């Protein structure tokens, strides 16, 4: 038992929630901050690339960064029993969520698209309960529901309350991402979080390379400063670095509690939308922010 604990600690994962809870919360929060830039960066990327090109190229670039790190550190291949879980992470986080949200952002504003992120914590907690046997308390669920409802109402109101065809993409993205987050959080308990996303990205290379070549040959490319910056961020920041700290945070404080930190992500995305895309916020923003922060405080103090 002592040897196993030492091995896990040497991998950089805090298994004990007591000494590592603060660090785990910080890591998860850094992941949320990175993810909050994904939609604005995607909107920038779409200025230069088509949706299929953007998703395929970001996957390849992120895989090259992750693969280079794995090779440089001579990380051994994961055990055979972990490959199925890595495939779920790859399908949900590396391919499914980026593709579906990018397609949605062709006809949706970032504010409207942020509704999927507002509902993601609750969906991730449900997947966690089903997949890894997590049993949060009633107080936890109540706070999660209130927080999710608050964010959903706010983000829908920001977009005028109209439902569009993009919603089908957004809700599908919600489901596949929650599955990927849950499986990645489970794997991050037995292997370093950066290796979880690293191997998931490498696993997508056989699909990403031909997809990128095909997409680039069919979709027009008009390189701009915004477009290239957006591509670099979604590839290196959102797709790799953000997921590294996110999975480490989930391993330290648990999937349900870490997922509730994402309640703040839509509000952060709206702030970036104002600063980077010139979108406008209503006076409801500070009131919603206060309500969300209360919900996060409740979920973080509640024992699952």
């Amino acid at each position: 038992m002592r040897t196993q604990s030492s091995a896990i600690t040497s991998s950089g994962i805090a298994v004990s929630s007591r000494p590592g809870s603060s660090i785990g919360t910080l890591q998860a929060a850094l992941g949320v901050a990175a993810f909050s830039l994904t939609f604005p960066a995607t909107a920038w990327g779409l200025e230069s690339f088509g949706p299929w090109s953007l998703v395929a190229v970001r996957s390849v670039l992120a895989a090259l960064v992750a693969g280079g790190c794995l090779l440089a550190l001579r990380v051994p291949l994961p055990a055979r029993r972990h490959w199925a879980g890595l495939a779920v992470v790859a399908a949900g986080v590396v391919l499914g969520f980026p593709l579906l949200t990018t397609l949605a952002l062709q006809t949706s504003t970032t504010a409207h698209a942020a509704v999927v992120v507002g509902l993601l914590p609750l969906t991730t907690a449900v997947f966690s309960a089903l997949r890894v046997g997590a049993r949060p308390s009633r107080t936890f669920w109540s706070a999660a529901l209130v927080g999710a409802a608050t964010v959903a109402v706010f983000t829908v109101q920001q977009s005028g309350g109209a439902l569009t065809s993009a919603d089908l993409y957004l809700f599908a993205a919600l489901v596949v991402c929650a599955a990927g987050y849950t499986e990645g959080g489970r794997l991050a308990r037995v292997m370093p979080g950066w290796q979880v996303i690293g191997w998931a990205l490498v696993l997508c290379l056989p699909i990403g390379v031909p997809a990128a070549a095909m997409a680039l040959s069919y979709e027009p490319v008009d390189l701009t400063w915004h477009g290239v910056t957006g591509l670099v961020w979604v590839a290196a920041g959102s797709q790799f670095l953000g997921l590294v700290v996110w999975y480490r945070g989930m391993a330290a404080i648990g999937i349900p509690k870490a997922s509730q930190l994402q309640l703040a992500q839509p509000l952060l995305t709206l702030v970036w939308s104002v600063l980077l895309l010139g979108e406008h916020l209503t006076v409801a923003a500070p009131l919603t922010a206060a309500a969300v922060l209360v919900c996060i405080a409740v979920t973080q103090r509640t024992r699952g």
Side-chain angles (χ1 to χ4, degrees), residues 10-11 65-79 82-83 86 190-200 202 240:
S10 65
S11 299
V65 173
C69 293
L70 292 169
L71 283 175
L73 297 176
R74 298 181 180 180
V75 178
L77 289 172
H82 297 322
W83 282 107
L86 290 171
V190 296
M191 59 192 297
W194 77 271
Q195 291 182 24
V196 173
I197 186 57
W199 287 117
V202 171
F240 183 60

Side-chain angles (χ1 to χ4, degrees), residues 7-262:
I8 293 176
T9 303
S10 65
S11 299
I13 297 178
V15 256
S16 173
S17 61
R18 294 174 183 174
S21 60
S22 297
I23 296 177
T25 300
L26 175 60
Q27 290 170 334
L30 289 174
V32 169
F35 300 153
S36 70
L37 281 162
T38 300
F39 286 168
T42 299
W44 273 10
L46 287 171
E47 294 180 12
S48 295
F49 303 92
W52 295 90
S53 298
L54 181 61
V55 173
V57 172
R58 72 180 273 185
S59 172
V60 172
L61 292 179
L64 292 176
V65 173
C69 293
L70 292 169
L71 283 175
L73 297 176
R74 298 181 180 180
V75 178
L77 289 172
R80 183 177 299 179
R81 66 183 183 276
H82 297 322
W83 282 107
L86 290 171
V88 174
V89 176
V93 178
V94 178
L95 296 178
F97 186 79
L99 176 60
L100 291 167
T101 53
T102 299
L103 291 173
L105 284 170
Q106 286 189 288
T107 56
S108 172
T109 65
T110 56
H112 186 78
V115 69
V116 71
V117 180
L119 298 176
L120 187 56
L122 180 59
T123 311
T124 303
V126 172
F127 269 80
S128 174
L130 296 175
R131 180 67 179 90
V132 300
R135 293 293 183 269
S137 66
R138 291 182 180 179
T139 303
F140 178 97
W141 284 114
S142 298
L145 285 169
V146 171
T150 301
V151 172
V153 169
F154 176 68
T155 50
V156 170
Q157 184 270 336
Q158 286 290 298
S159 63
L163 296 179
T164 67
S165 59
D167 290 313
L168 293 177
Y169 290 128
L170 294 174
F171 286 114
L174 172 69
V175 173
V176 298
C177 189
Y181 277 174
T182 300
E183 200 64 24
R186 185 186 66 83
L187 288 172
R189 295 175 178 175
V190 296
M191 59 192 297
W194 77 271
Q195 291 182 24
V196 173
I197 186 57
W199 287 117
L201 286 165
V202 171
L203 194 61
C204 291
L205 264 179
I207 300 174
V209 171
M214 184 177 299
L216 289 171
S217 66
Y218 282 96
E219 293 180 334
V221 176
D222 180 21
L223 296 182
T224 64
W225 182 85
H226 274 179
V228 173
T229 301
L231 171 63
V232 170
W233 178 258
V234 293
S238 302
Q239 195 84 72
F240 183 60
L241 297 178
L243 286 168
V244 167
V245 292
W246 173 244
Y247 282 139
R248 286 174 65 93
M250 282 200 294
I253 65 177
I255 299 172
K257 287 188 177 182
S259 69
Q260 300 314 302
L261 290 174
Q262 282 196 303

